[in-house]
Amino acid sequence: MNSLLYINWDIDPVIFSIGQVKIQYYGLIFVTGLVLCYYIIGHIYKKEKIYTPDAMEKLFIYAVIGIFGGARLGHCLFYDFEYFSSHIIEIFIPFRENARGVYEFIGYKGLASHGGAIGLFISMLLYSRKVHIPFSKIIDIIAILAPLGGAFIRISNLMNSEIIGRPTNLPWAFIFRQVDDLPRHPSQLYESISYFLIFLVAYSLYKYKGHLFKIGSYFYFGLSIFAIFLMRFILEFTKENQKSFEDSLSFNMGQLLSVPFILIGIILVIKNIVNVRKKGNR
């Protein structure tokens, strides 16, 4: 098999190091995505007439804590419970104990998107009470930008050569040299592109059909979680399982955790479409 036919991917995930602290593409791209989402949310807040400097400042704090806290706990509980149940302190710190019993800085390796979604939902409940903005409005606005944030996260995964795809002979296959020499599906790119398109659809509906599907109706929340986790379910078939226990499952953990989100999303979208049609028939 001629590896020149494929894309050779051999990016060092570390940009530079300061002592034991490593500045990585993952964190840089992740934060860039959050900042961009934050900027667009500010624009929507102004359009919806709920903007205040205090509300925006608290939004960033609550969102970051919810996303990172939920994603971290989700990974530890859903994917690596056996290890973290006996290393509880490592759930909260960016260090891991090596074979010599010495803690090494590794960053927060292991973030689960399903946990991040749940964490964000809970943090936005608390945030809405703090700033006295209806939760339904906040979660719909966040939902419009969530796919864009997800697109950046998957690019971060690509830079880390993680969450790799299954072997394939397709001409756009990537060879992740940091992992092995097999041509594989660039699953991170599949997801990133999918999420970016979902964002474009959601934002376009808000911009051009906002009079039909109003912020606060849970339409955008339903649309976002339905589309994101449907694509996640489908694209999991192109990925390698993240943990060995998943090899014995008909559907992997990512797919099983996606099902409730898909069902809730379908219900909310259908409910909103029915309501719009009822109003149109009056």
Side-chain angles (χ1 to χ4, degrees), residues 68-82:
F68 280 97
R72 180 62 174 168
L73 287 173
H75 171 81
C76 297
L77 293 174
F78 300 143
Y79 290 96
D80 216 353
F81 180 75
E82 183 177 355

Side-chain angles (χ1 to χ4, degrees), residues 92-148:
F92 308 100
I93 62 174
F95 297 88
R96 174 165 287 199
E97 187 178 9
N98 61 25
R100 303 189 308 275
V102 178
Y103 280 92
E104 295 179 332
F105 180 86
I106 63 168
Y108 286 106
K109 289 187 176 179
L111 297 171
S113 59
H114 299 86
I118 295 170
L120 181 60
F121 187 89
I122 294 172
S123 68
M124 289 302 98
L125 273 172
L126 299 174
Y127 166 75
S128 70
R129 295 179 181 178
K130 186 70 174 180
V131 298
H132 306 294
I133 299 174
F135 173 73
S136 58
K137 285 194 172 186
I138 292 170
I139 204 66
D140 261 356
I141 294 171
I142 293 294
I144 293 173
L145 276 300
L148 181 60

Side-chain angles (χ1 to χ4, degrees), residues 157-181:
N157 297 137
L158 178 66
M159 300 304 291
N160 261 10
S161 295
E162 62 188 5
I163 313 184
I164 59 174
R166 298 178 186 273
T168 181
N169 293 323
L170 292 171
W172 57 80
F174 276 45
I175 298 178
F176 294 96
R177 295 296 185 185
Q178 304 273 336
V179 180
D180 56 31
D181 296 325

Side-chain angles (χ1 to χ4, degrees), residues 42-58:
H43 171 74
I44 298 177
Y45 264 41
K46 289 177 181 177
K47 187 175 179 180
E48 295 296 321
K49 296 181 173 55
I50 56 175
Y51 179 93
T52 66
D54 181 64
M56 289 304 298
E57 180 183 336
K58 287 185 171 60

